[in-house]
Amino acid sequence: MKTTLYILLATLTYISSLTAQNTYRLTVNELFERGVQNSITIQSSVIKTQISEDKAGLAKNKRLPDISVSGLFGYVGTPTILDKDFSFLKHSDTPDWKQNYQVAATQPIYQGGRIKNSIEKAELEKEIAQLSLQKDKSELKLWLIGKYLDLFNLYKEREVYAKNIEEAQIRLRDIEKMKEEGMITTNDVLRSQLLLTNYELSYKETENNITLTSQQLDIILGMDENTILEPDQNLLSSKLDIQQENDYIYQAYAQYPDMKIMEKNIALAHNNLKLTKADYLPALSLQASNTLARPIPNVSPAQDLYLNAWGVTLNLSYHISSLFDRKHATNAAKSQIHLQELAQEQQRQNIRTDVKSAFVKHQEALDRIKALGKSVEQSNENYRIVKNRYFNQLAILTDLLDANTVQLNSELQLTAAKTNAIYTYYQLQKVSGNL
């Protein structure tokens, strides 16, 4: 009896200390919102998206004139004139200072499609970065719901252990009375006390796991690490709408981030082929410049005066050496297109298998709930019968404890099955591009 009271006191003390901790009730919607807002991975993806947008802006700026301003100011040493035998003749009378100021603007007219395709490439890379951000959010949500359901399971486990502790305490008191009346041996009392102790230890371990899982979520969600999170207890009663398997496959083809990224990669490969072909085309640009120079260098001797000159130039360039690389570069670009198309087809196959797996696993989880629901009813009835038989001395303690263990395990398995059904539902939403 002293042992029982000690265990009960320790349990109540431990429970009261946990109750004093800061707790916060967290819904699934808030879980996703906080996770997306505070995740370092998502923040990194957002920065990558911003970088891709800036690169797209830079590519568009290539259509604008290239304006440059240059200036030169310096001292010119006195030139020395030497005879044919390198003997000194005289010093030339030239200005001591030189200056040159120029403003030039170059407007590309024709670049063989380089500028246009570079802009298209930057836009495609921006879209890929945005799709990668969407993919990262989807993966983060699935991870968060997994941890959230782990936490939900732990709360249910604690509830089951608390109920079994209460039942074990009542049973122990009844067994101790039977021992005092000489109906059973001390061994039954000791075994009952041992089982109660094990339940207490399991309860404490579950509490510790709640604390640890809450801390993991707190860090990701940007909350105080000492906050104990409480999941929505109505989660299991929420209705999950399930569509046909083919519907999920069509949705995945249309909106799954990896599938969209494959489409953009094919477009990038085609764009790369255009850029490769542009290297074999001439480039034409128009340049206008104005130069202010001192001294005037094209007269002899140089005059220490300013000369202002302006001009307009049409520049045409063509890299003849690129013709030697044309065949290999073009073939490589075409092969890259084919590789991306094969990767897209591989992704289509992966989608079909992933959706099939997620759909079957979800149906399997629902079937398991039905089966385990019956098991819980059967284990409860079995425990009631064996308990009555034991206290009527028609069964041994081992039978009673075994029945209690079966009852506890069936309840834990049912909770795990229900949360697993929710997790497989979110898996199905992820692979179909709906998460």
Side-chain angles (χ1 to χ4, degrees), residues 25-191:
R25 182 162 296 176
L26 185 70
T27 63
V28 175
N29 289 336
E30 187 177 3
L31 171 76
F32 289 157
E33 290 176 2
R34 285 180 174 269
V36 171
Q37 290 175 0
N38 295 279
S39 170
I40 294 177
T41 301
I42 299 302
Q43 292 175 13
S44 299
S45 297
V46 170
I47 293 174
K48 291 177 182 178
T49 302
Q50 294 172 348
I51 292 174
S52 65
E53 291 177 354
D54 291 333
K55 288 183 177 180
L58 290 174
K60 292 177 181 179
N61 288 341
K62 295 297 182 182
R63 296 177 298 190
L64 303 176
D66 182 13
I67 301 175
S68 62
V69 178
S70 62
L72 181 150
F73 180 82
Y75 178 79
V76 181
T78 303
T80 301
I81 300 177
L82 303 176
D83 202 349
K84 295 179 181 178
D85 59 357
F86 293 100
S87 61
F88 173 79
L89 287 181
K90 63 177 181 178
H91 289 293
S92 177
D93 186 14
T94 59
D96 295 329
W97 300 94
K98 64 177 179 179
Q99 300 175 56
N100 189 297
Y101 306 103
Q102 184 181 52
V103 177
T106 303
Q107 174 64 54
I109 298 176
Y110 177 75
Q111 298 290 323
R114 293 181 184 87
I115 296 178
K116 175 184 176 182
N117 291 316
S118 295
I119 294 174
E120 181 183 348
K121 178 182 179 181
E123 290 291 344
L124 288 171
E125 290 176 343
K126 182 180 74 172
E127 292 175 6
I128 290 176
Q130 292 171 344
L131 289 171
S132 297
L133 173 60
Q134 181 182 342
K135 176 183 176 182
D136 290 340
K137 288 182 179 179
S138 178
E139 292 178 348
L140 174 66
K141 288 180 180 179
L142 186 62
W143 184 88
L144 288 172
I145 196 64
K147 283 294 179 183
Y148 188 82
L149 292 172
D150 288 343
L151 189 64
F152 190 92
N153 271 337
L154 290 171
Y155 272 93
K156 288 298 181 180
E157 284 183 19
R158 187 181 69 172
E159 182 181 327
V160 171
Y161 281 123
K163 184 176 70 173
N164 277 269
I165 287 172
E166 182 180 359
E167 174 67 22
Q169 291 169 345
I170 296 173
R171 184 174 60 236
L172 178 59
R173 288 196 294 268
D174 293 337
I175 290 175
E176 288 174 340
K177 291 180 180 178
M178 293 176 66
K179 167 63 175 59
E180 293 173 356
E181 296 173 0
M183 300 173 62
I184 58 174
T185 64
T186 306
N187 183 58
D188 285 9
V189 176
L190 294 175
R191 291 189 61 186

Side-chain angles (χ1 to χ4, degrees), residues 21 25 32 43 53 63 81-82 93 101 117 153 175 197 223 254 257-258 272 274 276 314 317 350-351 357 425:
Q21 291 179 320
R25 182 162 296 176
F32 289 157
Q43 292 175 13
E53 291 177 354
R63 296 177 298 190
I81 300 177
L82 303 176
D93 186 14
Y101 306 103
N117 291 316
N153 271 337
I175 290 175
T197 301
M223 302 176 65
D258 281 345
N272 183 58
K274 295 178 184 178
T276 301
L314 192 64
S317 62
N350 292 340
I351 283 176
S357 177
Y425 170 79

